[in-house]
Structure formats: structure tokens, C-alpha cells
Amino acid sequence: MTYHDVTISEIRTTAVDFSFGELLNLHRDKEIIIRPEYQRLFRWSNEQRSRLIESVLMGLPIPPIFLIENENGVLELIDGLQRTSSALQFLDHVAIHEPELVLSGCDFMEELNGKTFNTLDSLLRLKVKRTPIRATIIHRAGSSFVKYELFKRLNTGGSLLSAQEIRNCSSRMVEGGDRFYDLIQNLAAYRPFKAAIARLPASMRDLRADEELVLRFFALIAAKDRFKGNIEEWLDGFMEDVLFERIRVDLGELESNFVETFDVIADTFGDQAFTRFNSHGEATGRLAPAYYEAVCASVSADPDNIRRQNPMEVIGKLREAFQSDDFKDATGPGANTVQKLYQRIDVVSHYLRS
């Protein structure tokens, strides 16, 4: 099936009202799967989870959740994890392997603060268990593309998931996507890579920016000519082309290239490869994506050239490249064009060869 083959008839949905108690039982019986890789299980704070329970007890409407039917007829939660898991944690924290939820931050029903499910009175316990939440079930479709697009569209534009988290989760909807996702995760944990990107802020790692850098490396190697101003669209398009076999790439070859490249970068530059240098020649600041692209593409094209040189001399050459007018021109305003990408790669390659 190609992109253009998707028809409305392939998308069948059913709306069902489940009580939270029913969701808990379905989860216990493994008839509903809650995959933590779809959304980090508890990005919500304890107060946010508590306020959901407070809203339930106040009788306020709860936004719907979305489930998709897998090949075995089991339902997988693809949107609404925060709401669902918060309620399940309150009802039975053991069932989802989380600490007991002690309510806090409730400001309309302050008497709830400090309560757990078991310390509520029986009427309130029943109200939580019996409160319905609308669930839209997306029935099994023959097209992986349909499932992929539905997940991406449900999550795009919200604040819960970063672009890379959506990519990671969406890839699970496609046959063979697990391998691609697992490769990205494994390489993001590769020690030389972690050393080389040490200047990436922790807050960005929390949003899987390190995994996005792995994907960016793959795209640089296999789809550099498709680079465009909107980086998310470039990376989305590359990943989708791989998953739906619009282009053919050898993942084993990409992995080998990645490992060799970052072995060389970490050994030679440490954490100084992707950042600016101050007037004293000292590396300063956080990782700069445009610098990352230029260095990765240059080193991956000829790693033996870097190995043959003295590391201190190579760092000096890289510093000169970054401070050159041509490189500044290629990383300033309008840098996200394919012409500027090639320009900054050429500048770095020229300096590292000299």
C-alpha cells in the first residue's frame, strides 16, 4: 500500500463508555495494553493526578481516550495515557507498578488532600470506580500507514509529547518499526555518542532530543539532499520513507557508520565537536544542531583522516573552521536550506583535511 491508497473505508471507529473500574479490570486481564513507550507514564505531577481524581469526584467531564485494536483483538491505548494511568494508579497502584497515589493539591475539595483510595468513604470510592470515560476504539485496519497517521495526528500539537516521542511511538504502529525504534534507542545510549553530546541540556534529553540526534545522523547520511527548513518535516519524512519502504536503507550499515563516526569524534574532540569557541579558544555553550550536522557529515565521510592526526591539532582546525566567515555565513540566518547545509559541511571538511 502506498500513501495515496488510504481510503475512508479503512478507518472504522466505535465510541464506548468505560468506567474506570472496567478499565482497571480490562488492564488486569491484559485486554487493554498500556505501553509506557507511547507516552512517558507519569509526566503529570502528583498534583495534576490528584486534580483529575478531584474532577471525577466533582462530576466534571473527562476528555475522551483513544484505543486501537491490534492484530489479536487486544486494545492498545494510544492517547489519554496520563488520564487513564492516573485513575488506575489511584484505584490500584500495584496493577500499574507505581507507588500509591496520595491526593494533594486539591483546592475545591480540600478534604481530599492526604487521602488514598482506601481511606475514602465507600460512596466516593464507588463514584471513582463507576465514573465513565468515553473511549473511541479504532478498529483493526489492514494499513500500517493508517495506524501510524492516526497516532501522529492524535498527538501532534499537544504538550505531552515531543516530536521525537511521537516518532518513536508512531514507529511502533508499523510492521518492522520496532527494529528501527530500538536501534535509535540503543545508539542514543552508546557511550561515545553520549560523551560527544554531553553539552545537550538535560531538559532536552528528557524530550528525547538525544534520540532525535541519532535520527538526524541517519538522515544526514541517507537523505541529506532532502534537507529542508522545517527540520521536523525533514526528519518525519525520512523516517516515514524508511518505515514504509519508499526508500531503501541498510540499517546495519547506518549503525556501523554511526558507531565508527562517534568513536572518532569522542576520542578526538570529547564534548567540543558541536559547540562554539570563545575568543580564548575555549569550547563554550550548548550543543548547536548546525555544528552537529557539519561535523558528523564531515567525519563520517573520512574517519581515517581524523584518526591519523594529532587530536589537539584537529581541535584547533575545527575551531578555525567554526570561526571562519564561510561557516558563520552557513550557520546564520537562513541556515536551514540544503545549500547552506552543504556549505557548512564543505567548510568543516576543508579545514579538517588541511
Side-chain angles (χ1 to χ4, degrees):
M1 170 170 280
T2 66
Y3 180 92
H4 301 287
D5 290 330
V6 177
T7 63
I8 294 174
S9 62
E10 293 183 70
I11 305 172
R12 295 184 299 108
T13 64
T14 301
V16 179
D17 287 333
F18 287 120
S19 71
F20 285 119
E22 287 173 323
L23 286 175
L24 177 61
N25 290 333
L26 289 168
H27 175 65
R28 285 171 175 161
D29 294 339
K30 296 182 171 55
E31 294 180 34
I32 284 182
I33 297 173
I34 301 174
R35 294 187 185 275
E37 65 263 24
Y38 283 171
Q39 298 175 27
R40 287 196 300 279
L41 188 54
F42 282 126
R43 183 176 289 179
W44 274 12
S45 67
N46 194 77
E47 288 73 19
Q48 286 174 300
R49 289 174 255 160
S50 298
R51 288 183 188 126
L52 175 83
I53 303 303
E54 182 185 36
S55 295
V56 167
L57 292 174
M58 291 171 64
L60 298 177
I62 307 301
I65 62 175
F66 286 81
L67 304 121
I68 196 161
E69 185 181 36
N70 71 16
E71 291 76 8
N72 300 315
V74 174
L75 301 175
E76 297 186 30
L77 184 68
I78 61 169
D79 187 68
L81 180 73
Q82 305 294 328
R83 298 186 292 281
T84 304
S85 54
S86 295
L88 299 192
Q89 183 192 14
F90 188 62
L91 290 173
D92 183 0
H93 65 98
V94 175
I96 59 170
H97 311 291
E98 286 292 325
E100 188 172 31
L101 178 56
V102 180
L103 300 181
S104 64
C106 300
D107 43 15
F108 283 95
M109 300 176 67
E110 294 183 359
E111 65 275 16
L112 294 176
N113 292 319
K115 296 286 189 179
T116 65
F117 180 74
N118 290 324
T119 59
L120 285 179
D121 66 52
S122 59
L123 286 176
L124 293 181
R125 289 202 301 271
L126 287 173
K127 185 165 186 178
V128 175
K129 291 179 69 173
R130 292 175 179 173
T131 292
I133 184 168
R134 174 58 56 97
T136 296
I137 299 173
I138 302 164
H139 293 286
R140 182 175 54 194
S143 168
S144 292
F145 179 79
V146 171
K147 292 187 285 186
Y148 174 92
E149 273 297 315
L150 284 171
F151 181 87
K152 190 171 74 170
R153 293 187 187 200
L154 283 170
N155 286 279
T156 299
S159 61
L160 289 177
L161 295 181
S162 69
Q164 187 59 34
E165 287 173 313
I166 292 173
R167 293 185 196 107
N168 292 347
C169 300
S170 298
S171 68
R172 296 284 190 175
M173 302 290 175
V174 181
E175 184 177 355
D178 285 9
R179 183 187 172 207
F180 191 72
Y181 170 82
D182 291 341
L183 177 60
I184 288 174
Q185 271 204 320
N186 290 338
L187 292 179
Y190 185 56
R191 190 180 299 276
F193 173 74
K194 291 175 69 175
I197 66 162
R199 292 176 180 270
L200 184 71
S203 60
M204 295 182 68
R205 287 179 213 273
D206 289 341
L207 298 174
R208 308 296 175 93
D210 52 345
E211 294 176 8
E212 182 170 283
L213 288 174
V214 176
L215 180 65
R216 191 180 289 234
F217 178 89
F218 288 172
L220 276 170
I221 301 306
K224 187 163 63 255
D225 58 332
R226 302 185 187 194
F227 184 86
K228 59 179 70 177
N230 188 314
I231 302 300
E232 285 190 16
E233 289 183 6
W234 175 51
L235 296 179
D236 286 347
F238 167 70
M239 190 184 83
E240 290 167 14
D241 286 345
V242 172
L243 292 176
F244 295 107
E245 299 182 342
R246 298 172 195 150
I247 62 173
R248 295 198 175 276
V249 299
D250 185 330
L251 292 183
E253 187 175 316
L254 282 178
E255 180 179 9
S256 297
N257 195 332
F258 180 94
V259 168
E260 182 176 29
T261 298
F262 280 96
D263 283 348
V264 171
I265 289 174
D267 286 346
T268 306
F269 303 104
D271 69 350
Q272 301 180 71
F274 313 128
T275 191
R276 296 169 178 82
F277 291 84
N278 63 22
S279 58
H280 301 293
E282 301 165 332
T284 182
R286 61 177 59 187
L287 181 148
Y291 290 46
Y292 175 88
E293 294 155 1
V295 174
C296 285
S298 300
V299 173
S300 67
D302 192 2
D304 289 337
N305 169 55
I306 308 300
R307 287 194 185 97
R308 287 191 294 266
Q309 301 184 58
N310 179 283
M312 294 305 296
E313 292 179 0
V314 180
I315 291 174
K317 292 178 180 180
L318 186 64
R319 183 169 57 246
E320 291 177 18
F322 288 169
Q323 293 171 346
S324 69
D325 290 339
D326 286 342
F327 188 82
K328 290 177 182 178
D329 175 66
T331 55
N336 286 339
T337 66
V338 69
Q339 293 81 10
K340 295 286 188 178
L341 172 65
Y342 277 100
Q343 180 179 332
R344 55 184 175 265
I345 292 171
D346 288 344
V347 170
V348 171
S349 297
H350 170 74
Y351 275 85
L352 293 184
R353 280 197 305 267
S354 61

